[in-house]
Amino acid sequence: MRLSCAVIKPLRPVFQTAVSLIYPPRCLGCGTLVDSDFGLCSACWRDTPFIGGTVCESCGIPLMGAPDGHRIDCDHCLDHPRPWQNGRAALLYSDQSRSLILGLKHGDRQDVVGPAARWMARAVRPILREGALIVPVPLHWTRLLRRRYNQAALLARGLAAQTGLEHCPDLLHRHRRTRKLEEASAEERFAALASAIRVHPGRARRIAGRAVLLVDDVMTSGATLSACAIACREAGAAVVDVVTLARVALDD
């Protein structure tokens, strides 16, 4: 027997209550019980390095001092101008955030996506452009096959839901596989990713003359985001901005 929508809708809170009794919400960080789904307990919230205050306009890293009405960029972005306009990040990449991100990236912790998208939406709000197209950083198909999902694509979809903006999960294509770059220098990263990412020929019309918001989980040197931004600009994007869940703090 099929239940009509009119019957199912009033029963939904009952189902949700039953599920919460069987699977009570737990902290994403330590697993202790919390008041709501996809949250952090007070201790983990305190230890999670959310970025706020004055930030670099290009990469989102926190800076000393107060805004003075002029554009502020960190020394690294001044020395290495970005091929995008503005950038933001929700967290600094440290012990607590690293655990969440590695869980999402390698541990199938897709429960992180919901709160992460909310944190990213809050971080990117000051630079969000009306009608921007949200685009994730792509994985090479061999890594996607092994990992089964692209964490950047999950974050992009969550961010689109939070902001109401359109997103295109397959706009960018990583046509050349690169070696793992976790231990590579910035120069090695940029060299490895040069021309490794392209706009899908069948999707180029979607960004012609349009703002693009690139999404990734972590920004270290910015080499991957740079390759994506260059590909979007060459395909006709009007302007490119970036947002990541976390930003690695570079040494002085």
Side-chain angles (χ1 to χ4, degrees):
M1 180 179 66
R2 296 181 62 185
L3 296 177
S4 68
C5 292
V7 174
I8 293 174
K9 190 172 182 179
L11 292 176
R12 188 171 298 157
V14 177
F15 294 148
Q16 292 173 338
T17 300
V19 170
S20 67
L21 291 173
I22 300 171
Y23 303 105
R26 294 185 177 274
C27 172
L28 290 170
C30 66
T32 59
L33 295 176
V34 292
D35 293 333
S36 61
D37 287 326
F38 312 121
L40 293 169
C41 68
S42 58
C44 288
W45 183 274
R46 183 183 62 246
D47 294 338
T48 301
F50 290 96
I51 294 175
T54 305
V55 299
C56 171
E57 294 290 344
S58 292
C59 72
I61 202 164
L63 299 174
M64 299 290 290
D68 59 3
H70 299 282
R71 184 181 177 91
I72 303 174
D73 287 296
C74 67
D75 290 343
H76 188 76
C77 289
L78 288 172
D79 292 339
H80 304 86
R82 307 296 186 178
W84 62 79
Q85 184 67 28
N86 298 312
R88 291 293 187 274
L91 310 169
L92 274 177
Y93 192 68
S94 67
D95 292 342
Q96 180 70 15
S97 59
R98 183 185 299 114
S99 176
L100 292 174
I101 292 167
L102 291 180
L104 169 62
K105 193 169 185 175
H106 301 297
D108 204 17
R109 287 288 310 275
Q110 296 187 39
D111 56 323
V112 173
V113 173
R118 291 195 291 272
W119 301 337
M120 293 170 73
R122 182 174 58 193
V124 81
R125 190 170 294 119
I127 65 168
L128 206 59
R129 301 178 194 272
E130 184 177 357
L133 181 66
I134 296 178
V135 176
V137 167
L139 280 179
H140 190 266
W141 71 268
T142 55
R143 290 205 173 102
L144 182 60
L145 186 64
R146 185 173 67 250
R147 195 176 295 172
R148 297 184 296 107
Y149 61 89
N150 176 4
Q151 72 278 1
L154 296 181
L155 291 171
R157 184 176 64 187
L159 185 59
Q162 288 292 319
T163 61
L165 293 174
E166 184 183 0
H167 85 295
C168 184
D170 59 349
L171 182 106
L172 293 171
H173 170 60
R174 193 183 291 241
H175 66 94
R176 177 164 55 81
R177 178 171 179 170
T178 56
R179 64 184 179 87
K180 290 188 176 181
L181 301 172
E182 283 84 353
E183 304 300 325
S185 67
E187 292 76 13
E188 290 171 333
R189 288 170 182 259
F190 278 93
L193 286 158
S195 303
I197 297 173
R198 297 173 181 167
V199 170
H200 191 294
R203 304 287 184 270
R205 59 180 176 78
R206 299 190 64 178
I207 62 169
R210 188 174 185 180
V212 171
L213 178 62
L214 293 173
V215 175
D216 205 0
D217 56 348
V218 180
M219 176 180 171
T220 304
S221 67
T224 304
L225 287 164
S226 290
C228 293
I230 290 170
C232 288
R233 289 174 56 181
E234 290 178 346
V239 64
V240 179
D241 299 309
V242 306
V243 62
T244 60
L245 176 54
R247 173 72 167 102
V248 175
L250 302 178
D251 294 332
D252 293 335

